[in-house]
Amino acid sequence: MKSFSSYVEIQEAAKAGKNVHMTHIEDRVIYGGVKGARESILALRSLRDMLAGSVNSSTNVTVKWDGAPAVFAGIDPSDGQFFVAKKGIFNKEPKVYKSEADVRADTTGDLSDKLVTAFNELKDLGIKDVIQGDIMFTKGDLNSESIDGEKFITFQPNTIVYAVPVKSELAKTMQKANLGVVWHTTYKGKDFASMKASFGVNLKSLKKKSSVWYQDADLKDLSGTATLTQNDTDEVTEQLSKAGKIFQKIKSTTLSELENNLDLAIKIETFNNTLVRKGQRIGNTASHVKNLIKWFDEKYKKEYDKRSSEKGKQAVLQKQQNEMLFFSKDNKKNLDMMFQLMNAIVDAKLIIINKLDKLKDIDTFVRTRNGFKVTGSEGFVAIDNKGGAVKLVDRLEFSTNNFSKDVIKGWER
């Protein structure tokens, strides 16, 4: 697969300094300029070829697991001691827990209990360097439930309910475990500040322990094992061809302006996400551009009204004037096409997600007030042979599940 390595460090990633922030593949058009737009098309083309079994190079695809909390575990290079940690591991003063007492002193409730279990269960696995994953369950989180007449062992760390047939070997393994973790990232470095992240974890180096169920997030090399039908392949090809034609019409200057103005790009993504939260996609792209400009105007009006001094109000007006220079007649035309390009990318992405979702080895549901409803995985990450990664998520489905009052979340039970 051609490289589609990360091209932008979003603000959260810059603060954390470590785990590369992956934007949604369609949002690469907003953040990556000409290169980002081209690479998003190439990434989907490579995935299409891989799933059609017509590519020789290895491509790794991982599943995004809806676990909580995130957990880091490994050896502190400064003193050689084992630790577990939350994301505070990459603070200016790293926050790591090297004993059960350390965990209890800094955390409370269920979080504390889970991290204590993680510390006690993971310290004997022989973890080297530092690895990151998501806690999927501890002993009390496993339930026996019937879904459509079939008995499952279930666990629900967040929104998604994971279900394993009760008679399966996997269910038997999980029931013996005090802790379940899915690992996805490895860190190496002489200290926490200099550690570099890489996708994937070498589980072969870890000891087996019946009280811990763990796996990596890999779907392994899918070349030739997952097949798109000819119709699927043709549909993806049609959308990618459409995307390519639109891409050729967009002036590079518009994409470059966005690429070099991270604050503006983030605001455009934020506006797009107002639709995602409503379970809607971008419809008429010309109207979307008009609504985007209106959203900016309303945003600045609210900010203007908050200011009490004349100096403050003028500062807001000046900021608005500077930012709105971007929305020239030419740029508005190119933004219209940019949103068309994003739509074509989403259409191709959804076909691929649907195929990848059929490969999962654990069933996924959401728990509604009227019973269980089948849902897809949280999403997927495709990793090329240079370590670059791209995120594919059915944003509307996952967002609907997250924000729906009818869907009962793990923490609400």
Side-chain angles (χ1 to χ4, degrees):
M1 182 183 285
K2 297 187 187 306
S3 174
F4 42 91
S5 55
S6 183
Y7 56 88
V8 62
E9 297 288 330
I10 304 299
Q11 290 176 338
E12 305 92 57
K15 291 175 183 176
K18 300 301 165 198
N19 199 354
V20 177
H21 177 90
M22 293 174 292
T23 58
H24 293 274
I25 189 168
E26 62 270 27
D27 288 342
R28 293 171 67 85
V29 178
I30 300 175
Y31 291 106
V34 172
K35 182 181 178 184
R38 181 181 295 113
E39 288 183 344
S40 65
I41 296 171
L42 290 175
L44 286 171
R45 185 183 298 168
S46 297
L47 282 167
R48 175 204 62 190
D49 292 345
M50 177 195 72
L51 290 170
S54 60
V55 69
N56 294 321
S57 61
S58 177
T59 300
N60 196 31
V61 177
T62 67
V63 181
K64 286 176 60 61
W65 290 73
D66 189 30
V71 64
F72 296 77
I75 303 300
D76 184 339
S78 70
D79 60 13
Q81 290 190 54
F82 175 80
F83 72 88
V84 295
K86 304 177 295 180
K87 292 184 178 180
I89 182 177
F90 296 124
N91 288 351
K92 189 173 182 180
E93 294 184 9
K95 185 177 289 187
V96 298
Y97 310 124
K98 298 178 180 178
S99 68
E100 184 174 328
D102 286 350
V103 175
R104 296 293 186 193
D106 189 58
T107 61
T108 59
D110 186 59
L111 173 62
S112 184
D113 292 340
K114 280 181 166 36
L115 289 175
V116 165
T117 299
F119 178 82
N120 289 327
E121 294 294 342
L122 300 176
K123 63 183 178 183
D124 302 322
L125 294 187
I127 298 173
K128 299 177 181 178
D129 300 311
V130 174
I131 57 178
Q132 179 187 355
D134 294 300
I135 293 178
M136 302 308 297
F137 64 83
T138 50
K139 194 72 173 179
D141 298 325
L142 297 178
N143 297 291
S144 180
E145 300 186 81
S146 291
I147 303 176
D148 293 333
E150 185 176 356
K151 291 184 178 180
F152 291 90
I153 297 300
T154 66
F155 50 97
Q156 186 183 6
N158 268 317
T159 301
I160 293 176
V161 177
Y162 294 91
V164 181
V166 71
K167 293 183 179 180
S168 67
E169 288 302 314
L170 180 56
K172 293 174 184 177
T173 299
M174 287 180 168
Q175 286 176 300
K176 294 177 184 176
N178 295 321
L179 175 71
V181 185
V182 174
W183 302 109
H184 55 73
T185 306
T186 299
Y187 297 85
K188 295 185 178 184
K190 63 180 181 179
D191 52 39
F192 294 128
S194 64
M195 282 185 174
K196 301 296 182 184
S198 60
F199 295 100
V201 176
N202 178 16
L203 298 186
K204 292 180 180 179
S205 65
L206 303 186
K207 296 176 182 177
K208 297 292 184 183
K209 188 178 179 183
S210 62
S211 59
V212 182
W213 171 80
Y214 61 82
Q215 69 173 52
D216 60 27
D218 274 353
L219 280 180
K220 311 304 178 188
D221 181 4
L222 298 177
S223 300
T225 62
T227 56
L228 288 171
T229 65
Q230 189 59 53
N231 284 341
D232 290 336
T233 304
D234 291 345
E235 285 183 40
V236 174
T237 301
E238 180 182 352
Q239 292 304 324
L240 292 180
S241 176
K242 179 179 177 182
K245 290 175 182 177
I246 296 169
F247 175 50
Q248 294 299 324
K249 295 178 182 178
I250 303 173
K251 284 191 176 180
S252 61
T253 51
T254 301
L255 295 178
S256 295
E257 279 188 69
L258 271 181
E259 181 183 17
N260 294 316
N261 190 337
L262 182 59
D263 186 56
L264 180 60
I266 289 173
K267 287 175 182 175
I268 291 176
E269 183 190 358
T270 300
F271 172 70
N272 290 346
N273 284 341
T274 62
L275 291 182
V276 174
R277 284 174 174 265
K278 296 175 184 176
Q280 300 173 5
R281 279 185 57 178
I282 295 172
N284 182 293
T285 51
S287 296
H288 191 69
V289 174
K290 291 179 181 178
N291 290 334
L292 171 65
I293 294 171
K294 181 180 178 182
W295 180 81
F296 269 94
D297 286 339
E298 291 173 350
K299 181 177 179 297
Y300 277 109
K301 184 178 185 305
K302 289 178 182 178
E303 195 172 333
Y304 179 88
D305 291 341
K306 287 180 182 177
R307 299 293 186 270
S308 56
S309 69
E310 186 60 30
K311 183 178 180 181
K313 290 179 181 293
Q314 288 303 314
V316 171
L317 290 176
Q318 185 62 53
K319 184 179 178 182
Q320 179 181 17
Q321 184 178 3
N322 292 339
E323 195 157 67
M324 298 309 289
L325 288 174
F326 172 77
F327 296 98
S328 64
K329 182 178 180 180
D330 203 34
N331 275 353
K332 283 191 284 189
K333 179 181 178 181
N334 284 290
L335 277 176
D336 185 335
M337 289 188 287
M338 185 187 81
F339 291 130
Q340 292 178 43
L341 171 58
M342 292 173 70
N343 275 344
I345 288 172
V346 169
D347 287 335
K349 175 188 76 169
L350 290 176
I351 298 169
I352 289 172
I353 287 175
N354 182 60
K355 183 59 62 174
L356 289 174
D357 206 54
K358 288 177 168 51
L359 297 169
K360 63 189 178 188
D361 55 0
I362 296 181
D363 292 328
T364 51
F365 301 86
V366 288
R367 191 186 307 273
T368 75
R369 306 195 185 281
N370 296 315
F372 290 96
K373 183 180 76 172
V374 175
T375 190
S377 303
E378 182 185 348
F380 301 90
V381 178
I383 306 165
D384 68 10
N385 55 17
K386 295 184 180 180
V390 61
K391 181 167 65 175
L392 294 93
V393 176
D394 185 341
R395 297 169 87 170
L396 297 192
E397 178 182 51
F398 197 68
S399 178
T400 297
N401 290 337
N402 270 337
F403 293 105
S404 172
K405 294 180 180 179
D406 187 50
V407 173
I408 302 170
K409 317 303 188 293
W411 63 86
E412 294 175 334
R413 298 180 65 205

